[in-house]
Amino acid sequence: MTKHLLHGRIAFALAAVATLALATPALAATATSNFNVTASVTNNCTITSTTLAFGAYDPIVANATTPLDAAGSVDITCTKGAATTIGLNTGNNSASASTTTRAMSNGSGGFLDYEIYSNAGRTTVWTNSGAGLLTPPVAPSKATRSFPTYGRVPAGLDPDTGSYTDTVTATVNF
């Protein structure tokens, strides 16, 4: 044999031995195990709101016989499938007229009565309990849903001049 051929055969034999030494042994059987994977999703909601800005109330001309209306919104984002109610408290001031439950204050003892309704016809006062609670449909997804607030300052009031404010707390129950 020639020297090159002998070296080639030796190299080939060494490579074959190395490959066999590194090869994974053939397996004759297998075993398996199952395990559980778990998670839970709980109901959760967030709530935000926009300002209910009435603008100027004119008791002499424009609002002598016509109420002043405004609209805002309460927005909730809830877990899909969450059943909710949304309530509005009466604010920081008691109304001075028997026709409303809320009033804005000018900070100097003057009040301007107003109301917040859950419907555009302004017939259902939005409150924190009973029939005044807003009960929206179950959340169809986690997308934010917006619910209008319909405000009204009654016609014919006799308020002092000034700027009036109130703070109402919106609550989502889930």
Side-chain angles (χ1 to χ4, degrees):
M1 268 194 206
T2 67
K3 193 175 188 182
H4 283 348
L5 185 57
L6 182 61
H7 284 290
R9 286 186 180 178
I10 291 173
F12 177 76
L14 288 174
V17 169
T19 300
L20 289 174
L22 294 175
T24 304
L27 301 177
T30 61
T32 61
S33 172
N34 296 324
F35 60 93
N36 294 324
V37 178
T38 64
S40 63
V41 177
T42 58
N43 284 339
N44 194 13
C45 293
T46 60
I47 186 168
T48 59
S49 54
T50 63
T51 299
L52 185 59
F54 286 103
Y57 183 82
D58 175 8
I60 304 301
V61 179
N63 303 115
T65 58
T66 303
L68 178 61
D69 291 342
S73 71
V74 173
D75 304 320
I76 62 171
T77 305
C78 295
T79 309
K80 181 179 180 179
T84 60
T85 60
I86 305 169
L88 301 181
N89 75 354
T90 56
N92 293 335
N93 309 294
S94 295
S96 61
S98 61
T99 58
T100 67
T101 57
R102 298 174 169 97
M104 294 174 272
S105 169
N106 69 1
S108 300
F111 294 95
L112 182 62
D113 295 338
Y114 75 99
E115 197 57 84
I116 302 173
Y117 302 90
S118 59
N119 64 326
R122 290 173 172 81
T123 57
T124 304
V125 175
W126 197 339
T127 66
N128 242 351
S129 63
L133 275 172
L134 180 71
T135 304
V138 170
S141 70
K142 68 176 185 174
T144 299
R145 295 182 291 161
S146 185
F147 301 95
T149 55
Y150 300 99
R152 174 168 282 171
V153 177
L157 299 179
D158 190 17
D160 296 332
T161 60
S163 295
Y164 290 81
T165 64
D166 193 19
T167 302
V168 173
T169 302
T171 303
V172 61
N173 305 293
F174 54 94

